[in-house]
């Protein structure tokens, strides 16, 4: 708009448009009145430049500095010079043409442009100052609140909302910061309660292991007593044997569940410890034999190497995998191994239904159970605990489902 206004001023005040001021009109009228008498003689002190012509266009008076151009009324009209006719007895006897009006107008035009430019600069400066003021009291505080909101959304409640002394949104910003402090306190209380809950679960899990172990030992002892005294003091029926085995089986299931829950809770509390030592790879065959109580595992030759593991934790890993296979597949289990780079690779595969491709990345998550679990009991912790233990031992656990479910363990070499 300023540019358009400037162009309009320059255009409207152009030298070809002419301009007649009040002083020019007065001067022309006075000169024409005097010219009805005697033609004035040339006066070098005269400040105005003008030409007096007779009715035939002949020059009667000319005080211009540059007189090289012959001036006529037609020329004056073309150039928009101020002029007037000299009349006597209602007869036109000549004309007076003012030739210095253009110079005076150029000065006026220049002054108008300078004033316009000056006003524009003042306006631009005012707009910039106002913009800086708005930026300081509105935009910057809102940017701070926007960044503050992003921190809160990301869960970072330690960064306070900075407030300037002259911030017009001071009360608003203060309320936001109070909200942050309340959220931080609430989060701290929630974390404290969660820790107490995990500690309670860990304590209960640990306490439950003692009676479960007692039940297992009692059932084993009763089975041994029945076996030694059968036919002498009493008769052991198949139903009694089945029930005794069922007691042991259920006690073992409870023991596995409690162990997994205890391990998961310790991991959440950050107190789960793994103590790795160098062991012979033959320990894998021992662990598989220990947990293969159904005799479904088919173990191939294991390369003789030294592996860096926590034997108790590796037993828990393999035990969880075999228990999972018993529960959901119930088919023979092939255990194969080979050396690859810095790892002893052990694959444990069954021939069950397996899992779909979209579930492969999920079945090792905490509390996740596959879609084909049916109504079978389970907590969704077995493979999660196994993966977590392998990570802590510096190895890795992966799953695939080419034909059934295959769990691959990467056990680090010594």
């Amino acid at each position: 708009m300023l540019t358009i206004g400037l162009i309009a001023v320059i255009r409207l005040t152009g030298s070809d448009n002419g301009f007649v001021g009040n002083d020019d009109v007065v001067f022309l009228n006075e000169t024409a009145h005097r010219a009805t008498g005697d033609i004035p003689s040339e006066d070098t002190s005269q400040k105005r430049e003008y030409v007096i012509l007779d009715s035939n266009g002949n020059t009667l008076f000319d005080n211009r500095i540059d007189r090289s151009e012959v001036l006529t009324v037609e020329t004056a009209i073309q150039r928009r010079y101020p002029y007037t006719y000299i009349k006597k007895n209602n007869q036109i006897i000549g004309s007076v043409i003012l030739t210095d009006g253009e110079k005076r107008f150029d000065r006026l035009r220049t002054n108008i442009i300078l004033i316009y430019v000056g006003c524009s600069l003042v306006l631009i400066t005012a707009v910039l100052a106002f913009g800086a003021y708005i930026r300081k009291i509105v935009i910057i505080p809102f940017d701070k609140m926007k960044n503050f909101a992003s921190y809160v959304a990301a869960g970072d409640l330690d960064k306070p909302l900075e407030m300037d002394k002259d911030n017009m949104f001071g009360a608003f910003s203060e309320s936001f910061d109070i909200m942050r402090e309340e959220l931080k306190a609430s989060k701290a209380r929630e974390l404290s309660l969660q820790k107490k809950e995990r500690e309670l679960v860990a304590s209960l899990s640990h306490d439950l292991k003692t009676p479960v172990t007692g039940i297992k030992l009692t059932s084993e002892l009763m089975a041994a007593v029945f076996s030694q005294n059968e036919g002498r003091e009493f008769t052991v029926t198949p139903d009694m044997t089945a029930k005794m085995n069922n007691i042991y089986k259920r006690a073992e299931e409870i023991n596995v569940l409690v162990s997994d829950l205890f391990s998961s809770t310790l991991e959440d509390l950050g107190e789960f410890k793994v103590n790795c030592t160098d062991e012979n790879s033959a320990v894998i065959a021992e662990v598989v034999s220990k947990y293969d109580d159904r005799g479904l595992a088919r173990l191939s030759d294991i390369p003789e190497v030294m592996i860096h593991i926590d034997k108790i934790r590796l037993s828990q890993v393999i035990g969880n995998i075999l228990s999972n296979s018993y529960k959901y597949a119930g088919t023979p289990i092939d255990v194969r191994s080979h050396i690859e780079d810095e790892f002893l690779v052990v694959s444990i595969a069954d021939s069950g239904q397996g899992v779909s491709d979209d579930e492969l990345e999920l079945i090792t998550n905490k509390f996740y159970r596959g879609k084909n679990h049916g109504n079978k009991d389970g907590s969704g912790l077995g493979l999660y605990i196994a993966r977590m233990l392998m990570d802590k031992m510096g190895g890795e656990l992966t799953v695939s489902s080419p034909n059934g479910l295959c769990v691959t363990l990467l056990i680090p070499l010594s």
Side-chain angles (χ1 to χ4, degrees):
M1 292 178 67
L2 290 172
T3 303
I4 293 173
L6 181 61
I7 294 174
V9 168
I10 296 173
R11 181 65 179 171
L12 294 174
T13 58
S15 60
D16 60 337
N17 288 332
F19 178 79
V20 180
N22 291 332
D23 54 346
D24 293 337
V25 174
V26 172
F27 179 80
L28 288 172
N29 290 336
E30 290 179 350
T31 303
H33 179 70
R34 290 196 307 271
T36 56
D38 297 330
I39 300 300
S41 60
E42 183 173 352
D43 183 3
T44 56
S45 64
Q46 180 63 250
K47 297 180 180 180
R48 309 298 301 270
E49 293 184 3
Y50 63 98
V51 177
I52 299 178
L53 305 177
D54 61 14
S55 57
N56 296 321
N58 299 318
T59 302
L60 302 177
F61 178 84
D62 189 350
N63 68 346
R64 293 179 299 167
I65 297 176
D66 182 9
R67 303 176 186 177
S68 60
E69 180 185 13
V70 178
L71 194 62
T72 63
V73 175
E74 289 76 10
T75 304
I77 293 174
Q78 291 177 358
R79 297 189 178 180
R80 303 293 180 88
Y81 288 160
Y83 71 96
T84 187
Y85 291 109
I86 303 172
K87 296 182 180 180
K88 188 175 184 180
N89 297 328
N90 293 327
Q91 296 290 327
I92 297 176
I93 62 173
S95 58
V96 180
I97 302 173
L98 186 61
T99 60
D100 65 352
E102 182 179 13
K103 296 178 181 179
R104 294 176 66 249
F105 177 70
D106 286 341
R107 290 194 296 271
L108 177 62
R109 179 169 173 263
T110 301
N111 290 337
I112 291 174
I113 294 174
L114 291 176
I115 291 172
Y116 182 85
V117 171
C119 292
S120 300
L121 292 176
V122 171
L123 178 60
I124 292 173
T125 303
V127 169
L128 292 177
F130 182 70
Y133 175 72
I134 291 297
R135 173 177 171 78
K136 179 180 179 181
I137 68 170
V138 178
I139 297 177
I140 293 179
F142 265 94
D143 283 342
K144 289 182 178 179
M145 285 191 285
K146 181 183 70 174
N147 295 333
F148 173 78
S150 65
Y151 293 144
V152 172
D156 185 359
L157 302 175
D158 294 325
K159 292 185 179 180
L161 178 60
E162 298 179 359
M163 292 177 285
D164 298 329
K165 182 179 179 181
D166 300 326
N167 184 1
M168 64 183 298
F169 301 102
F172 191 58
S173 301
E174 185 177 4
S175 299
F176 263 65
D177 201 55
I178 292 174
M179 178 190 69
R180 175 193 66 83
E181 293 178 353
E182 291 296 328
L183 287 173
K184 183 178 179 181
S186 176
K187 185 177 181 180
R189 290 192 295 269
E190 181 184 358
L191 291 176
S192 177
L193 289 174
Q194 289 179 353
K195 184 177 181 182
K196 291 180 180 179
E197 290 175 357
R198 293 190 181 104
E199 290 174 347
L200 177 61
V201 171
S203 177
L204 291 175
S205 300
H206 182 268
D207 293 341
L208 284 172
K209 289 179 71 67
T210 300
V212 169
T213 303
I215 294 173
K216 289 176 61 181
L217 291 175
T218 302
S219 62
E220 289 178 352
L221 179 60
M222 290 179 65
V225 171
F226 286 173
S227 176
Q228 291 177 1
N229 294 279
E230 182 179 4
R232 289 184 296 177
E233 299 180 4
F234 53 86
T235 302
V236 179
T237 64
D239 184 58
M240 293 172 61
T241 303
K243 288 183 177 180
M244 190 61 60
N245 292 334
N246 189 54
I247 291 173
Y248 182 84
K249 178 181 177 182
R250 292 300 181 184
E252 178 62 22
E253 289 178 356
I254 295 174
N255 183 56
V256 171
L257 291 174
V258 171
S259 297
D260 287 345
L261 184 59
F262 183 63
S263 299
S264 175
T265 305
L266 288 180
E267 171 66 12
D268 291 338
L269 291 171
E271 298 181 2
F272 195 92
K273 300 295 187 293
V274 172
N275 299 313
C276 293
T277 59
D278 292 339
E279 299 282 349
N280 191 287
S281 58
V283 72
I284 296 175
E286 296 176 10
V287 172
V288 172
S289 177
K290 175 183 176 181
Y291 286 95
D292 184 27
D293 52 8
R294 295 188 187 179
L296 296 178
R298 298 181 297 198
L299 184 64
S300 62
D301 293 337
I302 301 175
E304 285 195 25
V305 291
M306 297 299 292
I307 53 179
H308 193 67
I309 58 167
D310 184 325
K311 184 177 179 180
I312 296 176
R313 301 307 180 190
L314 183 62
S315 298
Q316 193 173 353
V317 169
I318 295 177
N320 282 354
I321 296 172
L322 293 178
S323 175
N324 225 48
S325 182
Y326 288 165
K327 185 183 303 181
Y328 298 112
T331 65
I333 304 170
D334 292 318
V335 182
R336 298 184 177 90
S337 58
H338 65 277
I339 296 176
E340 184 176 319
D341 297 331
E342 301 298 323
F343 297 96
L344 174 64
V345 181
V346 178
S347 62
I348 304 173
D350 59 43
S351 304
Q353 296 180 3
V355 296
S356 59
D357 292 339
D358 57 341
E359 286 188 293
L360 285 177
E361 297 294 330
L362 302 175
I363 60 174
T364 57
N365 291 347
K366 193 173 185 179
F367 298 124
Y368 184 84
R369 303 188 67 196
K371 297 177 182 178
N372 62 349
H373 66 81
N375 296 322
K376 298 180 177 67
D377 295 332
S379 61
L381 288 172
L383 289 180
Y384 166 75
I385 296 294
R387 179 176 61 82
M388 182 264 294
L389 290 174
M390 289 305 300
D391 290 341
K392 286 188 173 292
M393 288 188 291
E396 185 179 350
L397 182 149
T398 59
V399 292
S400 59
S401 186
N403 182 22
L405 183 67
C406 178
V407 180
T408 302
L409 305 178
L410 273 65
I411 303 173
L413 300 178
S414 299

Short mmCIF file of all heavy atoms in Angstrom, two decimals, residues 40-66:
data_model
loop_
_atom_site.label_atom_id
_atom_site.label_comp_id
_atom_site.label_asym_id
_atom_site.label_seq_id
_atom_site.Cartn_x
_atom_site.Cartn_y
_atom_site.Cartn_z
N PRO A 40 6.21 46.50 -18.63
CA PRO A 40 7.28 46.68 -17.65
C PRO A 40 8.64 46.45 -18.29
O PRO A 40 8.80 45.65 -19.21
CB PRO A 40 6.97 45.62 -16.58
CG PRO A 40 6.16 44.60 -17.29
CD PRO A 40 5.35 45.35 -18.30
N SER A 41 9.58 47.24 -17.82
CA SER A 41 10.95 47.07 -18.31
C SER A 41 11.58 45.88 -17.58
O SER A 41 11.12 45.46 -16.53
CB SER A 41 11.76 48.34 -18.06
OG SER A 41 11.80 48.63 -16.67
N GLU A 42 12.67 45.41 -18.16
CA GLU A 42 13.32 44.24 -17.58
C GLU A 42 13.94 44.59 -16.24
O GLU A 42 14.66 45.57 -16.11
CB GLU A 42 14.39 43.70 -18.54
CG GLU A 42 15.07 42.45 -18.03
CD GLU A 42 15.99 41.87 -19.09
OE1 GLU A 42 15.97 42.33 -20.24
OE2 GLU A 42 16.70 40.90 -18.74
N ASP A 43 13.62 43.80 -15.25
CA ASP A 43 14.11 44.03 -13.89
C ASP A 43 14.83 42.76 -13.44
O ASP A 43 14.21 41.72 -13.24
CB ASP A 43 12.94 44.36 -12.96
CG ASP A 43 13.42 44.69 -11.54
OD1 ASP A 43 14.65 44.71 -11.32
OD2 ASP A 43 12.56 44.87 -10.66
N THR A 44 16.16 42.89 -13.29
CA THR A 44 16.95 41.70 -12.93
C THR A 44 16.69 41.25 -11.50
O THR A 44 16.98 40.11 -11.14
CB THR A 44 18.45 41.99 -13.10
OG1 THR A 44 18.78 43.16 -12.31
CG2 THR A 44 18.79 42.29 -14.55
N SER A 45 16.11 42.16 -10.70
CA SER A 45 15.81 41.77 -9.32
C SER A 45 14.50 40.99 -9.23
O SER A 45 14.15 40.50 -8.16
CB SER A 45 15.75 43.01 -8.42
OG SER A 45 14.67 43.85 -8.82
N GLN A 46 13.81 40.94 -10.35
CA GLN A 46 12.55 40.22 -10.34
C GLN A 46 12.79 38.73 -10.11
O GLN A 46 13.59 38.11 -10.78
CB GLN A 46 11.84 40.40 -11.70
CG GLN A 46 10.52 39.68 -11.81
CD GLN A 46 9.51 40.23 -10.81
OE1 GLN A 46 9.17 39.56 -9.86
NE2 GLN A 46 9.05 41.45 -11.04
N LYS A 47 12.09 38.15 -9.11
CA LYS A 47 12.31 36.77 -8.73
C LYS A 47 11.55 35.80 -9.62
O LYS A 47 11.90 34.64 -9.67
CB LYS A 47 11.90 36.56 -7.28
CG LYS A 47 12.74 37.38 -6.30
CD LYS A 47 12.29 37.13 -4.87
CE LYS A 47 13.12 37.95 -3.89
NZ LYS A 47 12.71 37.72 -2.48
N ARG A 48 10.53 36.29 -10.32
CA ARG A 48 9.73 35.41 -11.16
C ARG A 48 10.14 35.54 -12.61
O ARG A 48 10.44 36.63 -13.10
CB ARG A 48 8.24 35.71 -11.03
CG ARG A 48 7.69 35.76 -9.61
CD ARG A 48 7.85 34.44 -8.91
NE ARG A 48 7.19 33.34 -9.55
CZ ARG A 48 5.95 32.95 -9.32
NH1 ARG A 48 5.22 33.58 -8.40
NH2 ARG A 48 5.45 31.91 -9.92
N GLU A 49 10.12 34.41 -13.33
CA GLU A 49 10.42 34.43 -14.76
C GLU A 49 9.10 34.32 -15.52
O GLU A 49 8.32 33.41 -15.28
CB GLU A 49 11.34 33.26 -15.13
CG GLU A 49 12.74 33.36 -14.53
CD GLU A 49 13.64 32.22 -15.00
OE1 GLU A 49 13.15 31.42 -15.83
OE2 GLU A 49 14.79 32.14 -14.55
N TYR A 50 8.88 35.29 -16.43
CA TYR A 50 7.65 35.27 -17.20
C TYR A 50 7.87 35.94 -18.53
O TYR A 50 8.88 36.62 -18.76
CB TYR A 50 6.51 35.94 -16.43
CG TYR A 50 6.73 37.41 -16.14
CD1 TYR A 50 6.15 38.41 -16.96
CD2 TYR A 50 7.51 37.82 -15.06
CE1 TYR A 50 6.36 39.75 -16.68
CE2 TYR A 50 7.70 39.15 -14.78
CZ TYR A 50 7.12 40.11 -15.59
OH TYR A 50 7.32 41.44 -15.33
N VAL A 51 6.92 35.71 -19.43
CA VAL A 51 6.99 36.25 -20.79
C VAL A 51 5.65 36.95 -21.09
O VAL A 51 4.58 36.42 -20.75
CB VAL A 51 7.24 35.14 -21.83
CG1 VAL A 51 7.24 35.69 -23.25
CG2 VAL A 51 8.57 34.44 -21.53
N ILE A 52 5.75 38.16 -21.75
CA ILE A 52 4.54 38.87 -22.17
C ILE A 52 4.52 38.88 -23.70
O ILE A 52 5.49 39.30 -24.35
CB ILE A 52 4.51 40.31 -21.63
CG1 ILE A 52 4.51 40.29 -20.09
CG2 ILE A 52 3.28 41.05 -22.16
CD1 ILE A 52 4.53 41.69 -19.48
N LEU A 53 3.42 38.37 -24.24
CA LEU A 53 3.25 38.34 -25.69
C LEU A 53 2.11 39.26 -26.08
O LEU A 53 1.16 39.46 -25.32
CB LEU A 53 2.94 36.90 -26.13
CG LEU A 53 3.94 35.80 -25.73
CD1 LEU A 53 3.42 34.46 -26.19
CD2 LEU A 53 5.32 36.06 -26.31
N ASP A 54 2.21 39.80 -27.33
CA ASP A 54 1.08 40.59 -27.83
C ASP A 54 0.07 39.67 -28.47
O ASP A 54 0.23 38.44 -28.44
CB ASP A 54 1.56 41.67 -28.81
CG ASP A 54 2.26 41.07 -30.03
OD1 ASP A 54 2.13 39.81 -30.23
OD2 ASP A 54 2.94 41.80 -30.74
N SER A 55 -0.97 40.25 -29.04
CA SER A 55 -2.05 39.43 -29.61
C SER A 55 -1.60 38.65 -30.82
O SER A 55 -2.22 37.66 -31.21
CB SER A 55 -3.23 40.32 -30.00
OG SER A 55 -2.81 41.32 -30.93
N ASN A 56 -0.47 39.03 -31.42
CA ASN A 56 0.05 38.32 -32.58
C ASN A 56 1.11 37.28 -32.21
O ASN A 56 1.68 36.66 -33.08
CB ASN A 56 0.64 39.31 -33.58
CG ASN A 56 -0.44 40.24 -34.14
OD1 ASN A 56 -1.57 39.80 -34.39
ND2 ASN A 56 -0.10 41.52 -34.32
N GLY A 57 1.41 37.17 -30.92
CA GLY A 57 2.39 36.19 -30.47
C GLY A 57 3.80 36.72 -30.44
O GLY A 57 4.74 35.95 -30.20
N ASN A 58 3.94 38.03 -30.66
CA ASN A 58 5.28 38.60 -30.61
C ASN A 58 5.67 38.84 -29.15
O ASN A 58 4.85 39.20 -28.31
CB ASN A 58 5.34 39.91 -31.39
CG ASN A 58 5.01 39.69 -32.86
OD1 ASN A 58 5.46 38.72 -33.46
ND2 ASN A 58 4.20 40.58 -33.43
N THR A 59 6.93 38.66 -28.86
CA THR A 59 7.42 38.82 -27.50
C THR A 59 7.59 40.29 -27.17
O THR A 59 8.35 41.01 -27.86
CB THR A 59 8.75 38.09 -27.31
OG1 THR A 59 8.59 36.70 -27.63
CG2 THR A 59 9.26 38.21 -25.87
N LEU A 60 6.88 40.75 -26.12
CA LEU A 60 7.02 42.13 -25.67
C LEU A 60 7.94 42.23 -24.46
O LEU A 60 8.58 43.26 -24.25
CB LEU A 60 5.64 42.69 -25.31
CG LEU A 60 4.60 42.69 -26.44
CD1 LEU A 60 3.27 43.22 -25.93
CD2 LEU A 60 5.08 43.53 -27.63
N PHE A 61 7.99 41.12 -23.67
CA PHE A 61 8.83 41.14 -22.48
C PHE A 61 9.23 39.69 -22.17
O PHE A 61 8.41 38.78 -22.23
CB PHE A 61 8.06 41.74 -21.29
CG PHE A 61 8.86 41.75 -20.00
CD1 PHE A 61 9.75 42.79 -19.74
CD2 PHE A 61 8.75 40.72 -19.08
CE1 PHE A 61 10.47 42.81 -18.56
CE2 PHE A 61 9.48 40.72 -17.91
CZ PHE A 61 10.35 41.77 -17.64
N ASP A 62 10.49 39.52 -21.80
CA ASP A 62 11.00 38.17 -21.50
C ASP A 62 12.18 38.31 -20.55
O ASP A 62 13.21 38.87 -20.92
CB ASP A 62 11.43 37.48 -22.80
CG ASP A 62 11.75 36.00 -22.56
OD1 ASP A 62 11.82 35.59 -21.38
OD2 ASP A 62 11.93 35.26 -23.55
N ASN A 63 12.01 37.91 -19.32
CA ASN A 63 13.12 37.99 -18.35
C ASN A 63 13.66 36.60 -17.98
O ASN A 63 14.25 36.41 -16.92
CB ASN A 63 12.66 38.72 -17.09
CG ASN A 63 11.63 37.93 -16.30
OD1 ASN A 63 11.06 36.96 -16.81
ND2 ASN A 63 11.39 38.33 -15.05
N ARG A 64 13.45 35.62 -18.82
CA ARG A 64 13.98 34.29 -18.57
C ARG A 64 15.49 34.28 -18.68
O ARG A 64 16.06 35.06 -19.45
CB ARG A 64 13.41 33.28 -19.56
CG ARG A 64 11.92 33.02 -19.41
CD ARG A 64 11.44 32.03 -20.46
NE ARG A 64 11.66 32.53 -21.82
CZ ARG A 64 11.58 31.81 -22.91
NH1 ARG A 64 11.27 30.51 -22.81
NH2 ARG A 64 11.78 32.35 -24.10
N ILE A 65 16.13 33.43 -17.94
CA ILE A 65 17.58 33.30 -18.03
C ILE A 65 17.96 32.64 -19.35
O ILE A 65 18.88 33.08 -20.03
CB ILE A 65 18.11 32.48 -16.84
CG1 ILE A 65 17.83 33.20 -15.52
CG2 ILE A 65 19.61 32.22 -16.98
CD1 ILE A 65 18.22 32.42 -14.30
N ASP A 66 17.21 31.62 -19.70
CA ASP A 66 17.45 30.93 -20.96
C ASP A 66 16.36 31.36 -21.93
O ASP A 66 15.21 30.95 -21.81
CB ASP A 66 17.40 29.42 -20.75
CG ASP A 66 17.69 28.66 -22.03
OD1 ASP A 66 18.11 29.30 -23.02
OD2 ASP A 66 17.52 27.42 -22.03
#
